Amino acid sequence: MKITVNGETRETASETLGALLLELGHGDARVATAVNESFVPATARNGLRLVAGDRVEIVTPRQGG
């Protein structure tokens, strides 16, 4: 199915947000996620089913000064 991840259209076979994070190499990394502009807590990612056309945002924390 086609979804948009951080503004880029992608093809994925992942059915859940948790599976998509694994597919994209985020694994156990601490990231913030949103689907269709709604925040998704880490505890809900494996249960959130993706559908074609979803817009996913994945934000990784950065350190710096």
Side-chain angles (χ1 to χ4, degrees):
M1 87 181 102
K2 286 187 180 183
I3 61 172
T4 302
V5 179
N6 293 349
E8 179 181 319
T9 301
R10 296 180 158 264
E11 188 73 33
T12 183
S14 296
E15 294 184 3
T16 66
L17 180 56
L20 177 66
L21 290 172
L22 289 173
E23 177 185 325
L24 297 177
H26 292 287
D28 293 329
R30 290 188 174 265
V31 295
T33 55
V35 175
N36 301 324
E37 289 88 39
S38 294
F39 173 74
V40 180
T43 56
R45 292 174 185 159
N46 288 331
L48 189 129
R49 295 190 64 78
L50 297 172
V51 296
D54 275 347
R55 295 175 316 281
V56 178
E57 293 294 325
I58 303 167
V59 181
T60 56
R62 305 266 182 194
Q63 286 188 330

